[in-house]
Amino acid sequence: MSSGGFLKEMQTIGEKFLLKLQKLPKADPVEIVSFCVILLFIVTVLVLMVIACSCCCYSCCSCDGRPDHRRRKIQVRPTAH
């Protein structure tokens, strides 16, 4: 997908979302609750993705951007008897 097509699709989704928000005060209570549940689900997924990415980046790169060589796995060899 080209960047122009992606931007057009995001604009379309944004316009639909804005239209839905404008109609929300006149909507049925069931529709309001379902919209809030869907919105809460989307926000939860985004927050969990940010947490997962930050934890992964922190374990690989540390905070200052340099790799932490102390956390490197060490291969254990059996002792000779």
Side-chain angles (χ1 to χ4, degrees):
M1 177 183 273
S2 67
S3 63
F6 178 73
L7 291 176
K8 183 74 172 170
E9 186 70 26
M10 291 304 292
Q11 182 181 5
T12 304
I13 291 172
E15 289 172 356
K16 287 180 183 178
F17 182 72
L18 186 61
L19 183 65
K20 190 71 165 175
L21 282 177
Q22 290 172 347
K23 291 181 179 180
L24 202 57
K26 302 171 195 154
D28 296 333
V30 174
E31 190 175 354
I32 293 172
V33 170
S34 63
F35 181 76
C36 289
V37 167
I38 291 171
L39 194 62
L40 181 66
F41 175 75
I42 291 170
V43 168
T44 303
V45 168
L46 290 175
V47 167
L48 289 175
M49 282 178 44
V50 167
I51 291 171
C53 290
S54 65
C55 289
C56 180
C57 183
Y58 180 76
S59 68
C60 293
C61 302
S62 192
C63 284
D64 56 1
R66 291 179 292 161
D68 189 5
H69 295 292
R70 291 176 288 155
R71 301 182 90 184
R72 192 173 61 202
K73 293 182 180 179
I74 298 172
Q75 193 172 25
V76 179
R77 298 176 189 235
T79 58
H81 291 285

